[in-house]
Amino acid sequence: MDITVVVGAVLLLVTVVLVWFTVRRLRALRSGGVHAALRTRLDDSGKGWHLGVGRYQGDEFVWFRVLSLRPGPDRVISRSALEIADRRDPSGPELYSMPPSSHVLRFREAGSGADVEIAMGPDALTGFLSWLESAPPGRLPWAS
């Protein structure tokens, strides 16, 4: 095989993957998405954050990782399974891996018992907290 064919095939593959990432992100943002960083491995190092786009779908917050080939959401968070444990500002090393002016929410998912942190800018965080509190009466664990 000629080297130019191999190089051309690799460049075509890289272009297709970049177009896929761009289309996926724009589609999520255009359908009411917000920029959000998420991490599930909690430690004090500030590592493990992944940038993405979150979108509200009824009683679920679906999150799409920016650099993922998966066609569907990478994480689905049910409103009824959330319990907010902490709210804080990001620490030094975390600032590079999340949206500007972000605040961090740590919550526990009732179904899995896993701790998850999500970082959003002030406007997106206000929307997230409003969505969380706007469930009909009796549908949230603390409302019963």
Side-chain angles (χ1 to χ4, degrees), residues 52-133:
V53 175
R55 186 173 65 211
Y56 306 102
Q57 292 183 339
D59 284 340
E60 295 177 332
F61 181 77
V62 294
W63 182 78
F64 299 84
R65 188 173 172 180
V66 170
L67 297 176
S68 174
L69 294 175
R70 174 182 265 181
D74 292 282
R75 186 78 177 209
V76 178
I77 300 169
S78 174
R79 174 171 34 200
S80 62
L82 285 183
E83 178 184 330
I84 296 178
D86 189 27
R87 181 177 176 168
R88 64 180 179 83
D89 290 328
S91 62
E94 294 176 320
L95 293 172
Y96 297 105
S97 56
M98 55 185 61
S101 304
S102 289
H103 298 283
V104 178
L105 282 181
R106 184 171 50 87
F107 54 85
R108 180 173 300 264
E109 287 185 285
S112 67
D115 282 347
V116 177
E117 285 188 329
I118 190 164
M120 299 177 172
D123 295 338
L125 183 61
T126 300
F128 182 81
L129 293 172
S130 296
W131 167 79
L132 185 60
E133 295 172 359

Side-chain angles (χ1 to χ4, degrees), residues 12 18-19 21 29 47 49 52 59 76 120:
L12 179 65
L18 289 176
V19 167
F21 287 151
L29 283 172
K47 296 180 180 178
W49 287 100
D59 284 340
V76 178
M120 299 177 172

